[in-house]
Amino acid sequence: MVDKLLKTSNKYNLLFEMEQSRFVLWTPVALAAGIAFYFSLSFEPPLWSGIAGLFASLLVLFLSKARSAPVVTLVLVAVALGCLGFSAAQWRTALINAPVLDHDRGPTSVEGRIVTLEFRAKGLRVTLDKPRIGGLGPQMTPENIRIVLTGKQPDLKIGDWIWLRAKLSAPPAPAAPGAFDFQRRLFFSGIGAVGFSYGAAKVTATVASAADTSLFQSTLGGLSRLRSLIGKRVLDGFAQADQIAVGGVIQALMTGARGAIPEQVLDDFRDSGIAHLLAISGLHIGLVAGIVFFGIRGLLALFSPLALTYPIKKWAALVALVCAFCYALIAGATVPTMRAFLMIGVVLLAVVFERRGLSLRSIAFAACVILLIKPESLLGASFQLSFAAVTALVAVYEALSESRWSKSAKARRGFAKRLLLYIAGVALTTLIAGAATAPYAAFHFNRFADFSLATNLLAVPLTALWIMPWAVVAFALMPFGLEGLALAPMGAGVALVIEIAHEVASWPGAVTLLPAMDTWALMAITVGGLWLCLWRKAWRWLGLPGIAAGLASLLWVQGPDILIDGKGRLLALKDVHGEITLSSLKTAKFTGKVWLRRAAQEQALSWSQKMSQQDSSAKLACDSQGCIYHIKGQSVALVRRLGAVEEDCRSADVLIASVPVRIACNNPKVVIDRFDLWRNGAHALWFSESGEVRIQSVNASRGKRPWVHRPTRRNPVKVEDAL
């Protein structure tokens, strides 16, 4: 028995030593675990708690390092890194914390300086800093507000001060428990209010006369103005009605701004599986860097004395690094762009210092930098999709590079064989990236593009070999006003990609809709995928059960039986077929669209349409006072008039009212009224055959956090006809 235990111990010690070089790859995973734990809390922890945990774990590590087993040391290091991530998230929240509009205001006067200017298909959207809002004191005024400008507007530039009348509100809460949290996203973007304008804005001071307060702000303003100018010149070059979509896509490829792309084109790109082409990430940054690198190196190689005397390869790498950095800044320095630039930067610096560049270590380095600078990015789709794809790709190609097939493939020659290898590489890359990102696309967008392989085989080579080279030329010609020479052929390529996307998206069964996935399922898939990609030995396959368990969870997802939005305007009921029906198809359309997407439905019937069907007439009955809904042996009163409250309080098992319930209502086991919706936001209810009712609300699930807007008593509580 002792010999068996010793043999097992030696086996694991040997495995530990063999995988020791891979431990560093788990550094961002430990950081991410601490960040995820911080955001999962329902309360805001003391600011010192993360740092205290970090120093405590480091102290224990220092005191026990000499006599601890390697596994214990590894665990302590992981705990210290987790505390570091936790602390980074805490301090990021504390530093960015700013006032949020306490309640709806307007129409009211608003004045502020334009810091971002977005050209959208339906008009302009501006972000104003240093706003002055009528009737609101400085201490209660948000630092930044975002406003959609309606109607015809003057020629606006970033840095201009404008005055307008607008309707403002606090950033919206999630449409359902577990849905996308706009409040958290806008909180970390520094935006404390959103709204829309009435009429045209008036320019009170131009950028030329408005002085920036610092060199940093001046630099940011200059970059924003340059991005806006590039986008405007692109859109002006494709102002014809049949060219608007082409101009919008080119603007997205050159500046990262996608607001000018028509909604139908965006849907086609998503449904055909090439939406990643619109998000400036590794493909775009890599192509720009590669085009510049090989172009500069080829140009310098034409001069023999120069090529034979100086390290032109290193020169080309440095120029490509500068160009990639400038492109990343122009593109807005989003999370995928930052990740791509950091990785490309490592590769190009490796050329300069004659080292190996692209590896899982460079991915780990990029992830650590982003997580420490912007911890909240961990929760976003951009971070998850970007790193899932690149980690899986590098891991697979790293394994393939060591195989015999790869070594024999490198020895092959001939154009035909190289072309076939390129096509096979695009197909394999698409399959790997698609498989790696599919769970995250399902979690965030509830859809899967079934024919993405076919679309990518056509669109990716076209983008890499035709569209992006012309984009680089357009950037080079733009200072001379000659960008039209490059935008014309680039536009022809983009038009072809749009046509490909539209064709594939129109195929029957192009998209599979998926229900909302549980968070634990996504975590199981993530841990399993990381285990599979980061280790090298056979025990890596132990990650497959975690992936399988997470994917299998989609088979038993149970959506809520009843949904109520946070203002009591819209309700949804699940019918006997598991599909939801809406109280109205015209009220709160965005909320209804979110509910349908999370239920894996394209469209829904209204209650009036559903009641006309005989199979549901006994389930739902309505009159002018409200509705009675029968589900699993229980009656649910859906009240819309004050006059029905007293009667339904005596007879219903569950009462949901869009009006305040101001009387003792003791018979129902669950009462949700207008005040509950006002305080806690949208509600979801699940009914069981045993008579139990499970309730989740938006604010109860999020807790008391700085980004969770809780209404004050100044908010008007209106009696609304919701049903």
Side-chain angles (χ1 to χ4, degrees), residues 245-488:
V246 174
V249 173
I250 292 179
Q251 182 195 29
L253 294 175
M254 295 184 69
T255 69
R258 290 181 283 179
I261 304 177
E263 191 65 31
Q264 181 59 52
V265 175
L266 285 173
D267 290 341
D268 289 342
F269 271 68
R270 281 193 293 263
D271 294 345
S272 62
I274 57 171
H276 63 92
L277 294 181
L278 299 177
I280 295 179
S281 56
L283 175 65
H284 308 78
I285 299 289
L287 286 173
V288 168
I291 291 167
V292 173
F293 174 77
F294 289 108
I296 295 295
R297 188 181 180 188
L299 180 64
L300 294 177
L302 296 176
F303 303 94
S304 299
L306 197 64
L308 296 174
T309 307
Y310 298 98
I312 60 172
K313 182 179 179 181
K314 297 181 180 181
W315 290 2
L318 291 174
V319 175
L321 180 64
V322 172
C323 291
F325 178 69
C326 294
Y327 182 46
L329 291 179
I330 292 174
T334 60
V335 170
T337 307
M338 290 168 60
R339 189 269 307 159
F341 171 72
L342 288 170
M343 291 188 60
I344 293 299
V346 170
V347 172
L348 293 173
L349 288 175
V351 172
V352 175
F353 295 104
E354 300 178 357
R355 294 289 186 271
R356 182 183 175 185
L358 187 60
S359 66
L360 287 173
R361 287 176 178 261
S362 62
I363 300 174
F365 166 74
C368 289
V369 171
I370 293 173
L371 289 174
L372 291 174
I373 295 176
K374 297 183 67 176
E376 73 278 5
S377 63
L378 173 69
L379 307 179
S382 294
F383 181 93
Q384 295 172 12
L385 291 166
S386 177
F387 277 97
V390 73
T391 301
L393 286 170
V394 173
V396 171
Y397 281 110
E398 182 184 74
L400 288 177
S401 66
E402 300 173 358
S403 66
R404 295 180 180 178
W405 178 87
S406 175
K407 295 176 181 178
S408 61
K410 291 178 181 178
R412 298 172 187 171
R413 295 291 186 269
F415 176 77
K417 290 183 178 180
R418 291 181 181 273
L419 180 61
L420 289 175
L421 283 174
Y422 176 76
I423 296 174
V426 172
L428 180 61
T429 299
T430 301
L431 286 173
I432 296 169
T437 57
Y440 302 95
F443 182 83
H444 291 283
F445 310 118
N446 307 104
R447 58 202 305 120
F448 177 74
D450 296 340
F451 303 124
S452 61
L453 176 59
T455 322
N456 279 276
L457 284 175
L458 297 173
V460 170
L462 184 59
T463 302
L465 302 177
W466 182 262
I467 295 175
M468 290 308 296
W470 284 115
V472 174
V473 176
F475 276 123
L477 294 178
M478 200 162 281
F480 309 102
L482 302 175
E483 68 276 2
L485 299 176
L487 291 179

Side-chain angles (χ1 to χ4, degrees), residues 122-140:
K122 296 182 180 180
L124 297 175
R125 188 172 73 177
V126 297
T127 300
L128 306 179
D129 77 341
K130 302 179 180 179
R132 292 189 284 269
I133 302 173
L136 197 63
Q139 293 184 345
M140 299 297 295

Side-chain angles (χ1 to χ4, degrees), residues 21-34:
S21 62
R22 312 288 284 188
F23 291 159
V24 68
L25 302 179
W26 290 88
T27 301
V29 180
L31 289 174

